[in-house]
Amino acid sequence: MNLQTIKRVLLVILTIIAVGQTTVSLFNSWQQPQTQSRIELYQTNLVLNATEWKKFTEASSNKDADIYPKLREQLIGKEPLKNAQKQYEELKTSLTKTQDSIKGDSLRDGKAGRSSSILAQTERIGSIVDELDLRIGILQAEQGQTNAALETWTNLIERSKFKTDGLNNFKTVAVLIDLWTDKSSITATSETQIKANLDGWFKYRSLAKLYQVEQRPADLANLELQQQNIAEQVVNKLLLVGVLPVIGLLIGTLLILGLTLQLAIRKKRSILATNSGIGWKTPWDIETISIVLIVGFFTVKDIVLPIVLGLILSLFQINPTKLDNLQQVMFSFVAYIGIAVLAVTILFFAIKKYFPLPPDWFKFKLTPQSIAWGIGGYLTAIPLVIIISLINQQLWGDRGGGNPILPVALQGQDNLAKFLLFLTACIAAPIFEELIFRGFLLASLTRYLPVWGAITVSGLIFAVAHLSLSEVIPLTVLGMLLGFVYTRSRNLLSSMLMHALWNSGTLITLFILGSGNS
């Protein structure tokens, strides 16, 4: 057996392993609740904070006073507490169904009681459900549904008795029950318990109730003053989070309509037809494409790096589940840079013998046209991906996992953590992923497929590489749009800029939502 044959056998083996590993990861993501639902709750919590703004609730002699009722209805709706409770209960119902489904799947597969991963998944979902019930009870109590709130909290206490991580919930719920039944068993630790285990509007309303019961008017006045400042800031954040996407949606829709009209009129001379159907002169074959994709990307990302990081964690006796937000972000940043460096190195050596490359390969040039394509691609992606995401949500419900960096972005208040997240998502990811999936993969596939086929296949692989089953469809659409921009502009800067703008918009929104829920 010669060296070439051995290399091909190894490539086949690695391909089988990579496909198997990716399939398992996608299946595991199906067992996870979607992070999108948690993100929506963060926005709901912002709305709850905004309800406390006195300009929404008090009459004013100001000539512009009639603006505030209209603004209130637009931002928080007519019944914000009722709407918030409904959203919390819907998520709770969905998560409970997911939990039951996972247990049912494990029973059918004969894995019940034997799989630590299944147990961890169900316990994680159970913890989220407990958090939801804690807050649902406060929403019920604030709407005068005291008996319903007490029933919700009592059921939570009963569940917490059988959980190793249920102590904090047990203590916090006990304090809330005492507050809303006006019992005299409130202790000096009640305030500490509320501050430690509740946040945002829920913490404020619980502390307000505590100060009322304990007859502490000075503390109550200070709390209300603090909440007014927070509520005013939250209103500004809601305006920012709500208005900017709508503006982008409108501009993107108009841009799509305009470009489509121009395509119908000018046909091959239209902007959308620029470089249409023109592939790349690819000097290498499918084997080189496979080496870069399987060895340089999937094997490094899903096999080599986890083993290396696992050895490092074991060597320094680090428990990854106990890392704080900053440590998680630093860990993710180092891991991502490691993947990028190894993958680009393998890419370089895989195609080195074909240097110098034909024109248009890995072209990166700052021009007005490249910037226009990047910004235009981003704006047109907004309405298209939103529509697909709404359809996708109906298909998947609340299962399918999501990007693990999103909850970290929501919870992180550390400026260094935010900076590292920005570097990872908005600079490193666009450069590396566009280089691999558009610069190399898409262009290489045009040797075997028409341009539209290369755009589709590279977009699908790009989506699968993110290992989130619920996001495969919208990410495929986004990947195809990135590929469309690259094939038309023939400039990696365009797709990198579009990618960076997309990730930046998502990350900034998460930062805003997270900062309003403290």
Side-chain angles (χ1 to χ4, degrees):
M1 187 179 292
N2 58 36
L3 184 61
Q4 184 67 18
T5 304
I6 293 173
K7 187 173 73 170
R8 288 176 178 173
V9 170
L10 287 174
L11 182 58
V12 170
I13 293 172
L14 286 175
T15 300
I16 294 171
I17 293 172
V19 170
Q21 180 67 29
T22 301
T23 303
V24 170
S25 297
L26 286 171
F27 175 77
N28 287 339
S29 77
W30 171 245
Q31 309 296 327
Q32 303 294 331
Q34 278 195 34
T35 55
Q36 181 62 34
S37 300
R38 301 298 301 274
I39 293 170
E40 290 171 359
L41 283 191
Y42 269 78
Q43 186 156 355
T44 297
N45 294 342
L46 277 185
V47 169
L48 290 173
N49 271 325
T51 61
E52 302 298 328
W53 198 33
K54 287 190 176 180
K55 285 187 177 181
F56 278 167
T57 57
E58 292 183 353
S60 171
S61 58
N62 190 292
K63 64 180 181 180
D64 296 324
D66 62 329
I67 292 175
Y68 294 114
K70 295 177 182 177
L71 183 60
R72 172 190 170 91
E73 187 171 339
Q74 290 296 319
L75 285 180
I76 66 177
K78 293 182 178 179
E79 298 179 305
L81 298 191
K82 183 178 179 180
N83 292 336
Q85 182 182 333
K86 180 181 177 182
Q87 190 169 2
Y88 269 83
E89 288 174 344
E90 286 177 350
L91 178 57
K92 175 191 169 183
T93 300
S94 179
L95 288 174
T96 302
K97 289 180 180 178
T98 300
Q99 190 178 37
D100 292 341
S101 177
I102 293 172
K103 290 178 180 177
D105 291 345
S106 67
L107 285 171
R108 283 191 295 273
D109 296 339
K111 296 179 180 178
R114 293 190 288 114
S115 173
S116 59
S117 64
I118 290 173
L119 181 62
Q121 288 162 7
T122 55
E123 285 182 349
R124 185 159 51 248
I125 294 174
S127 296
I128 297 173
V129 171
D130 289 348
E131 291 177 17
L132 295 176
D133 264 345
L134 190 64
R135 287 157 174 76
I136 288 171
I138 297 174
L139 285 164
Q140 291 170 327
E142 283 296 310
Q143 295 175 85
Q145 304 166 15
T146 307
N147 291 335
L150 294 175
E151 183 180 353
T152 299
W153 288 330
T154 301
N155 292 335
L156 177 52
I157 281 182
E158 289 301 314
R159 295 200 305 270
S160 298
K161 288 178 180 178
F162 305 100
K163 296 181 178 180
T164 56
D165 62 346
L167 184 60
N168 278 335
N169 280 336
F170 186 94
K171 290 181 179 179
T172 307
V173 173
V175 170
L176 295 176
I177 290 175
D178 287 347
L179 284 176
W180 265 274
T181 53
D182 294 324
K183 289 186 177 179
S184 57
S185 56
I186 298 170
T187 65
T189 61
S190 297
E191 183 174 354
T192 303
Q193 195 68 33
I194 290 172
K195 288 181 176 179
N197 295 293
L198 291 171
D199 54 22
W201 179 86
F202 298 96
K203 180 171 70 174
Y204 166 69
R205 294 312 308 166
S206 300
L207 287 174
K209 183 69 174 177
L210 176 67
Y211 296 156
Q212 289 169 2
V213 170
E214 292 188 332
Q215 298 182 354
R216 294 161 58 181
D219 289 331
L220 182 59
N222 287 332
L223 179 67
E224 289 178 347
L225 182 61
Q226 293 172 13
Q227 189 61 23
Q228 283 305 300
N229 292 332
I230 292 172
E232 186 173 356
Q233 294 172 16
V234 164
V235 169
N236 293 330
K237 289 173 182 177
L238 280 174
L239 284 170
L240 192 62
V241 170
V243 171
L244 289 182
V246 172
I247 293 173
L249 182 64
L250 290 174
I251 295 174
T253 303
L254 291 173
L255 190 56
I256 290 172
L257 292 174
L259 290 171
T260 303
L261 181 62
Q262 193 211 31
L263 177 63
I265 296 172
R266 301 190 52 141
K267 296 183 171 51
K268 292 183 179 180
R269 292 179 296 149
S270 66
I271 294 173
L272 293 181
T274 304
N275 295 319
S276 176
I278 302 175
W280 277 256
K281 292 181 179 179
T282 306
W284 46 79
D285 57 15
I286 194 68
E287 184 176 315
T288 301
I289 300 173
S290 300
I291 289 172
V292 174
L293 195 63
I294 299 300
V295 180
F297 187 80
F298 284 99
T299 302
V300 167
K301 182 173 72 73
D302 298 329
I303 300 174
V304 175
L305 200 71
I307 292 174
V308 172
L309 292 177
L311 290 173
I312 293 173
L313 291 173
S314 177
L315 181 63
F316 291 96
Q317 297 183 335
I318 299 172
N319 185 346
T321 62
K322 294 184 179 180
L323 298 176
D324 60 28
N325 277 337
L326 176 58
Q327 291 169 333
Q328 288 182 56
V329 173
M330 293 177 68
F331 189 78
S332 298
F333 177 74
V334 171
Y336 195 88
I337 296 301
I339 292 171
V341 170
L342 285 173
V344 172
T345 301
I346 291 172
L347 168 62
F348 174 79
F349 283 106
I351 65 174
K352 184 181 178 183
K353 63 181 178 180
Y354 300 102
F355 288 176
L357 299 178
D360 282 352
W361 274 95
F362 303 109
K363 182 180 177 182
F364 184 94
K365 189 175 181 181
L366 178 60
T367 64
Q369 290 80 7
S370 66
I371 294 173
W373 272 108
I375 296 174
Y378 167 68
L379 291 171
T380 55
I382 294 173
L384 293 174
V385 176
I386 286 176
I387 291 170
I388 294 298
S389 296
L390 291 174
I391 297 172
N392 186 69
Q393 183 72 18
Q394 297 302 313
L395 292 174
W396 295 105
D398 287 302
R399 294 182 73 170
N403 192 330
I405 204 172
L406 299 186
V408 177
L410 280 166
Q411 298 164 11
Q413 300 301 315
D414 186 283
N415 287 331
L416 178 57
K418 289 181 178 180
F419 176 70
L420 290 175
L421 275 173
F422 183 84
L423 283 181
T424 305
C426 307
I427 297 178
I431 293 174
F432 168 57
E433 292 176 12
E434 292 312 301
L435 186 67
I436 294 293
F437 291 105
R438 255 63 63 180
F440 174 76
L441 178 61
L442 188 158
S444 297
L445 289 175
T446 59
R447 173 171 175 171
Y448 301 97
L449 298 170
V451 172
W452 65 265
I455 290 173
T456 304
V457 172
S458 62
L460 178 60
I461 295 174
F462 167 75
V464 169
H466 286 77
L467 302 179
S468 173
L469 198 56
S470 68
E471 295 180 338
V472 165
I473 296 175
L475 281 176
T476 297
V477 173
L478 179 61
M480 290 172 65
L481 291 170
L482 287 163
F484 185 89
V485 165
Y486 179 52
T487 57
R488 268 46 180 183
S489 67
R490 314 292 285 196
N491 194 333
L492 269 175
L493 179 62
S494 297
S495 60
M496 287 178 182
L497 175 59
M498 177 183 167
H499 199 151
L501 288 171
W502 185 268
N503 287 2
S504 297
T506 302
L507 200 60
I508 290 170
T509 299
L510 294 177
F511 287 158
I512 292 172
L513 291 177
S515 66
N517 284 273
S518 55

